[in-house]
Amino acid sequence: MEEKVKDILEKVKLSATAAGEFAASTAEAAGKRASEVVEVTKLNLQIFDLGNEISALYKQIGELVYKAHDDADADTGSIEEWLILIDEKKSAIEEIKQRILAFKHSKKCPNPECGRDCEKSDAFCPKCGTQL
């Protein structure tokens, strides 16, 4: 009888160890995913801020165009500078969108010695072979 109890306790111990390891890996994956979500959120906030800055520039350009319509001698020299700023901000938005896409289409190898960016569809790291 004592041998059966030892076997049962050993099986319980192995099951608990496996469950603990699984919980740890799940928590680690959730932590990594949470950090990705935080980064994407930060990038989206940057896009939002740049969009607001572009809107403000549009408003300034519109006011200046109306002043030029109302007063032929109005100085409209800053319109070109504002248009350049808008182009720069739109370019920055596109770069940020590409960074967001990179988060959505790639994942890091969990091997601390490797850490390579892999495709989301990869089952194994192409560099070191670690299961993803």
Side-chain angles (χ1 to χ4, degrees):
M1 180 83 154
E2 187 177 304
E3 193 63 35
K4 286 184 179 182
V5 171
K6 284 182 181 180
D7 287 343
I8 291 172
L9 290 176
E10 185 62 30
K11 288 178 182 177
V12 167
K13 177 183 171 186
L14 290 174
S15 295
T17 301
E21 289 172 357
F22 179 75
S25 67
T26 302
E28 182 180 342
K32 286 180 181 178
R33 179 68 183 129
S35 77
E36 285 179 9
V37 169
V38 167
E39 287 302 313
V40 169
T41 301
K42 286 179 184 178
L43 293 171
N44 279 321
L45 285 172
Q46 289 177 6
I47 290 172
F48 179 78
D49 289 341
L50 287 167
N52 284 339
E53 292 171 17
I54 289 171
S55 293
L57 288 167
Y58 283 151
K59 182 180 177 188
Q60 290 174 326
I61 290 169
E63 289 172 357
L64 201 52
V65 167
Y66 184 77
K67 282 181 186 177
H69 165 75
D70 196 35
D71 177 9
D73 294 330
D75 179 21
T76 58
S78 40
I79 288 178
E80 188 63 34
E81 294 171 21
W82 292 339
L83 292 173
I84 291 169
L85 280 174
I86 289 171
D87 290 340
E88 290 172 357
K89 291 178 187 301
K90 284 187 173 193
S91 177
I93 287 173
E94 285 307 311
E95 289 175 18
I96 293 169
K97 285 181 179 180
Q98 291 304 313
R99 289 172 54 196
I100 290 172
L101 279 176
F103 272 111
K104 292 182 179 180
H105 294 295
S106 68
K107 56 186 171 184
K108 290 254 186 225
C109 174
N111 180 349
E113 295 175 9
C114 177
R116 177 181 172 162
D117 286 330
C118 304
E119 293 294 320
K120 288 273 187 190
S121 60
D122 290 343
F124 297 91
C125 174
K127 181 178 178 187
C128 69
T130 300
Q131 185 174 1
L132 302 174

